[in-house]
Amino acid sequence: MKKKIVAILLAVLMLTMLMSGCQKPAADDADTARTFTVGFDAEFPPYGYIDDNGDYDGFDLALAAEVCDRLGWELKLQAIVWDSKDAELESGNIDCIWNGFTKSEERADQYTWTVPYVDNSQVIVVRNDSGIASLADLAGKTVMVQAGSSALSALESEDCADLTATFGDLLEVADYNAGFMELENGTVDAIAMDIGVANYQIATRGGGYTILDEAIATEVYAVGFLLGNTDLMYTVQGVLMEMAYDGTMLEIAEKYVDKGLVIDSLCLLD
Amino acid sequence: MTFATMVSQLAQGLLVSIEIFLLTLVGSLPLGLLVAFGRMSKFRPLRLVVQVYISIMRGTPLVLQLMVVYFGPAMLFGWSIPRFSAVILGMILNYAAYFAEIYRGGIESMPVGQYEAAEVLGYTKSQTFLKIILPQVFKRILPSVTNEVITLVKDTSLAYVVSVMEMFTLAKKIASSQTTLMPFVIAGVFYYIFNLVVAVIMERMERRLSYYR
Amino acid sequence: MNILEMNQIKKAFGDNQVLKGISLSVEKGEVVAIIGPSGSGKSTLLRCATFLETIDSGEIAYMGQKAAVTGQNGHAEYVSSAEMRKIRGYFGLVFQNFNLFPHYSVLKNVIDAPVSVQKRSRQESVEEARALLAKMGLSDKEESYPYQLSGGQQQRVSIVRALAMHPEILFFDEPTSALDPELTGEVLKVIRSLAEEHMTMVIVTHEMSFARAVADRVIFMDGGVIVEEGRPDDVMLNPQNERTASFLSRFTE
């Protein structure tokens, strides 16, 4: 029976450890060695993903690293579940969402945003041999889109209502990976997604897919902070602008071109 | 990413999954016994509180409970619990409720004659429970416990909801970043081996307790 | 001094008055058999005597030490749990269903209480247990587990378990009722041999011929009262009460 007692003691000890693990959130101590925690979902190349060595990489993460370098902050990359991004932000577990984060109309008032640094478009990807060449050809076809994505909200917006009405079916998928499997298998005819993502997916899959020339919507990416956290936003935005002017942003961006980043989409560079 | 890198990445995720699994068991098995006592207590308010606790733990998704444990304190009081601790705490609280009901079923299924024989022989209440009742309860409930333990192996993947990088979360991110389904295949194999080991251990325990009926 | 003294015991389950003021005293070395139809209260009497049930009113004393007394308010009160623990050591009980501990070997079943309750030395307990098991013809069974034994063997082990506690008095609650008919003989033989050694015993039984052969005194209970008691031959061959006679007649055909 001694074993049982030991087990109970262990449990109590563990609970104590769990409790003592409680600490003030990182966001509260704006002192000397500030930690800047960036939230991203690591599933959104080329902005934030896991590279061939299993490390986090991405254009947005590289920008964040440069910002922290210049400010003397310590960067902490926190992979999050996209669905929990608001809870993570509100609980102070992350300082910002920086992950190809679309500043849509509905989100505009929900976060404190930097100015947009990427102007992205929502496009349609089809198989080369699909015979689909324009948005009009999508009539009666099955179109797939990632659940909760900007492409979905674009398709569901009033601007696209006429187009969407012509689709045979609009299906939602959990991730693009599965979406491409379906496209490959012919169970869907087209996928709607961000142009950057589309370029990356097509490049890594070795071609075979085409992006329609007509975009279904254009959108912008910015860094989102907790609503009202303007001081932090301005600090980061200032450095971001600086990086755009002195050419650093372009330098960083060029490293991600082969991952599908479209230099033309960087709207701070002009 | 090479296949070897993928396997080694996922193996690291597997270690996290195993850690979650073991800590949850070490915490919830004894806690479940305490909860079972509360559930069977003669003191009505305690019994009610425990009943409500069990019904919430069994009546709501574990995913939701993990979110509440992790995000709740931060949003309400500004306390940030480390992610991993939140997962362990949430899993222990959930599994303790299930184990408590299993213990209770086992304890209540014990024939009253065992208590009476012990009482007449002069055993104290705690001696009766620890020497006579609990060992037999343990044998009776082992098959149900095995079921829960195997479910727990698979439930470790729910840690994704608070972004703890256990194997499945990692597999999902690698799959998205590398545009391949291979990580899921590898993860599936790992889960299967993990469960196989667990099943073998539980079977051994059952065999060790089969010396009596 | 009587080993057991029960006075005016009353016990009800809800509205059902099971014991209606029963008095029973047992002398050292006496063997008492309690007979009666089912529902007569004989098992309840035994359970009250062994504290498995609490009495509503009356008095219970072992070896002159009071375990339960009834004061002015008419409700029985038991002595402190420390005293109760001491008094429990005076008696042993053999159950109808044996109630051996299934997870303990035969030997462990016998020695565990002497060692962990009475704090006797393990070696001495083992030696004594082996002697008792040998006497009961169970020498080769000490490593067995209860499920491996026949009902008769299990009941003999449970008698050994009770004896190992050195009780002043041993109660038997229908010790052969759960056994196949061909196995009752071996258990009755053991009880008879204990009677020959003048072990003080109270036996609730349906085995009439056994009761007559082994008991010094037979008590016939019905409806929660003692209807008749006396020497076995007097009660069983020449019952004075009509209820006794009609009960016994069922066994003579």
Side-chain angles (χ1 to χ4, degrees):
Chain A
M1 279 314 102
K2 281 193 185 102
K3 272 188 218 152
K4 204 87 218 168
I5 294 163
V6 170
I8 292 172
L9 282 179
L10 256 174
V12 171
L13 189 73
M14 229 169 50
L15 284 178
T16 330
M17 274 160 51
L18 284 169
M19 292 316 182
S20 62
C22 297
Q23 51 192 220
K24 283 279 158 195
D28 278 8
D29 44 358
D31 290 323
T32 40
R34 194 191 193 296
T35 303
F36 184 63
T37 310
V38 170
F40 68 107
D41 81 348
E43 294 178 34
F44 199 58
Y47 301 98
Y49 58 95
I50 296 177
D51 72 10
D52 292 349
N53 302 318
D55 299 322
Y56 294 136
D57 197 3
F59 176 55
D60 282 0
L61 305 189
L63 288 182
E66 177 67 19
V67 167
C68 285
D69 252 12
R70 295 191 181 194
L71 290 168
W73 290 350
E74 196 181 320
L75 175 64
K76 188 177 166 210
L77 298 176
Q78 181 59 60
I80 60 168
V81 177
W82 198 240
D83 294 337
S84 301
K85 58 185 181 302
D86 296 323
E88 297 276 4
L89 204 53
E90 280 162 33
S91 61
N93 291 310
I94 57 173
D95 288 312
C96 68
I97 300 165
W98 196 340
N99 192 29
F101 193 27
T102 305
K103 183 184 174 186
S104 61
E105 262 180 62
E106 9 174 306
R107 281 181 188 156
D109 297 333
Q110 292 169 8
Y111 305 89
T112 290
W113 298 91
T114 60
V115 294
Y117 60 97
V118 166
D119 186 344
N120 210 344
S121 307
Q122 301 301 318
V123 296
I124 298 284
V125 177
V126 295
R127 283 195 318 279
N128 285 345
D129 57 4
S130 67
I132 300 168
S134 69
L135 293 180
D137 293 341
L138 289 172
K141 302 289 187 189
T142 303
V143 179
M144 188 163 255
V145 64
Q146 190 184 21
S149 68
S150 303
L152 178 64
S153 43
L155 286 174
E156 285 176 340
S157 70
E158 275 180 39
D159 296 342
C160 286
D162 290 343
L163 171 68
T164 312
T166 67
F167 293 168
D169 206 354
L170 181 61
L171 298 179
E172 292 183 23
V173 67
D175 58 86
Y176 292 120
N177 212 14
F180 268 90
M181 289 295 153
E182 300 229 17
L183 193 59
E184 181 63 43
N185 296 340
T187 45
V188 301
D189 301 300
I191 309 178
M193 65 180 79
D194 296 5
I195 187 164
V197 179
N199 284 322
Y200 177 79
Q201 293 280 348
I202 292 170
T204 55
R205 283 169 198 281
Y209 305 95
T210 309
I211 300 171
L212 298 188
D213 290 340
E214 292 172 85
I216 52 173
T218 54
E219 68 168 351
V220 294
Y221 292 167
V223 187
F225 293 81
L226 184 65
L227 196 62
N229 199 358
T230 39
D231 286 352
L232 191 58
M233 183 277 285
Y234 279 122
T235 312
V236 172
Q237 176 174 290
V239 181
L240 212 49
M241 302 289 257
E242 200 179 286
M243 284 157 57
Y245 292 132
D246 66 17
T248 320
M249 188 182 281
L250 182 62
E251 246 173 65
I252 293 172
E254 276 162 350
K255 292 182 199 152
Y256 294 93
V257 168
D258 62 343
K259 297 286 181 196
L261 187 68
V262 182
I263 300 289
D264 287 345
S265 70
L266 301 180
C267 54
L268 286 179
L269 295 186
D270 315 319
Chain B
M1 186 180 286
T2 63
F3 184 75
T5 317
M6 218 176 264
V7 170
S8 88
Q9 285 281 311
L10 289 170
Q12 281 173 29
L14 179 63
L15 284 183
V16 177
S17 299
I18 292 174
E19 237 178 302
I20 295 171
F21 171 81
L22 290 178
L23 288 173
T24 301
L25 279 188
V26 169
S28 61
L29 281 171
L31 181 63
L33 193 55
L34 292 181
V35 174
F37 286 145
R39 178 72 179 74
M40 295 183 293
S41 164
K42 291 194 179 84
F43 183 56
R44 197 151 174 271
L46 175 63
R47 208 169 61 226
L48 277 177
V49 167
V50 171
Q51 231 167 324
V52 168
Y53 157 71
I54 290 174
S55 112
I56 292 176
M57 288 297 139
R58 304 210 302 174
T60 59
L62 177 52
V63 167
L64 192 64
Q65 291 164 21
L66 294 180
M67 289 178 76
V68 167
V69 170
Y70 180 58
F71 295 116
M75 288 185 187
L76 292 175
F77 315 111
W79 300 338
S80 131
I81 304 174
R83 283 164 204 278
F84 187 75
S85 307
V87 166
I88 300 302
L89 184 61
M91 300 276 270
I92 288 176
L93 288 177
N94 180 276
Y95 270 81
Y98 282 93
F99 284 136
E101 287 297 89
I102 292 175
Y103 283 126
R104 184 171 69 98
I107 291 170
E108 286 179 349
S109 77
M110 283 299 295
V112 70
Q114 291 290 304
Y115 291 94
E116 291 185 343
E119 187 183 330
V120 170
L121 287 169
Y123 288 93
T124 62
K125 280 218 158 64
S126 60
Q127 276 179 327
T128 302
F129 187 75
L130 293 176
K131 293 179 73 101
I132 309 298
I133 304 301
L134 196 58
Q136 296 186 56
V137 165
F138 212 75
K139 179 183 165 82
R140 278 167 192 244
I141 64 174
L142 203 54
S144 320
V145 170
T146 302
N147 273 342
E148 285 304 318
V149 169
I150 285 177
T151 308
L152 173 60
V153 170
K154 292 174 277 182
D155 274 357
T156 56
S157 68
L158 298 179
Y160 84 88
V161 74
V162 293
S163 303
V164 165
M165 290 294 146
E166 48 68 53
M167 184 164 53
F168 195 73
T169 313
L170 208 56
K172 199 159 156 287
K173 291 191 188 310
I174 294 175
S176 288
S177 299
Q178 300 289 323
T179 59
T180 161
L181 292 181
M182 187 50 83
F184 292 122
V185 176
I186 299 170
V189 171
F190 277 167
Y191 276 121
Y192 183 72
I193 294 171
F194 188 177
N195 249 330
L196 212 59
V197 171
V198 168
V200 166
I201 291 172
M202 296 308 284
E203 209 183 294
R204 276 211 182 156
M205 282 176 77
E206 279 185 41
R207 224 180 305 143
R208 271 192 59 179
L209 286 178
S210 67
Y211 68 88
Y212 73 91
R213 261 180 244 148
Chain C
M1 180 183 55
N2 287 330
I3 292 192
L4 169 65
E5 194 83 54
M6 296 176 90
N7 271 319
Q8 287 302 309
I9 303 299
K10 287 185 183 166
K11 173 69 182 176
F13 294 109
D15 291 337
N16 182 17
Q17 192 69 43
V18 180
L19 300 178
K20 299 171 180 169
I22 291 214
S23 297
L24 168 69
S25 45
V26 182
E27 284 174 26
K28 187 166 178 55
E30 197 180 11
V31 177
V32 177
I34 303 180
I35 59 172
S38 37
S40 60
K42 53 192 194 307
S43 276
T44 305
L45 181 66
L46 215 62
R47 291 174 61 82
C48 287
T50 52
F51 309 142
L52 292 176
E53 302 285 354
T54 53
I55 57 171
D56 298 335
S57 69
E59 286 184 5
I60 304 175
Y62 280 91
M63 310 293 288
Q65 293 175 38
K66 288 195 163 53
V69 293
T70 298
Q72 293 296 331
N73 65 2
H75 294 296
E77 280 181 29
Y78 285 82
V79 295
S80 72
S81 55
E83 286 175 81
M84 288 294 279
R85 203 169 307 140
K86 180 160 176 275
I87 292 172
R88 272 205 181 87
Y90 292 139
F91 63 78
L93 171 61
V94 174
F95 294 86
Q96 185 178 339
N97 296 315
F98 336 131
N99 289 336
L100 291 175
F101 302 131
H103 59 309
Y104 284 170
S105 68
V106 164
L107 187 66
K108 177 100 165 150
N109 259 285
V110 176
I111 64 163
D112 194 65
V115 171
S116 61
V117 174
Q118 293 181 331
K119 312 292 178 201
R120 275 151 55 191
S121 92
R122 203 190 140 79
Q123 199 193 340
E124 176 209 313
S125 304
V126 170
E127 280 166 15
E128 190 190 332
R130 288 199 171 126
L132 281 168
L133 288 169
K135 206 172 113 188
M136 303 279 173
L138 294 165
S139 286
D140 53 336
K141 299 294 182 192
E142 66 174 63
E143 294 306 323
S144 301
Y145 284 85
Y147 81 96
Q148 296 166 316
L149 304 181
S150 72
Q153 289 169 328
Q154 289 192 52
Q155 191 60 297
R156 281 184 280 156
V157 172
S158 90
I159 293 171
V160 170
R161 181 174 71 171
L163 288 173
M165 298 295 280
H166 302 166
E168 297 289 337
I169 178 172
L170 199 50
F171 295 96
F172 292 82
D173 186 4
E174 303 191 16
T176 57
S177 295
L179 299 177
D180 294 335
E182 69 270 21
L183 298 177
T184 57
E186 57 188 81
V187 172
L188 296 180
K189 209 178 105 195
V190 163
I191 301 175
R192 191 185 299 236
S193 75
L194 291 174
E196 280 158 10
E197 292 166 25
H198 302 293
M199 179 80 209
T200 312
M201 295 186 285
V202 175
I203 308 162
V204 169
T205 184
H206 286 127
E207 301 284 340
M208 294 305 143
S209 52
F210 167 73
R212 198 181 136 208
V214 88
D216 299 313
R217 178 158 50 118
V218 167
I219 294 176
F220 173 67
M221 276 182 74
D222 192 16
V225 294
I226 292 177
V227 175
E228 195 166 344
E229 68 179 300
R231 291 190 16 237
D233 285 356
D234 293 345
V235 174
M236 301 178 84
L237 297 181
N238 190 16
Q240 301 300 303
N241 190 292
E242 196 188 315
R243 280 147 82 191
T244 319
S246 95
F247 173 74
L248 287 169
S249 70
R250 281 189 261 153
F251 291 89
T252 47
E253 279 117 50

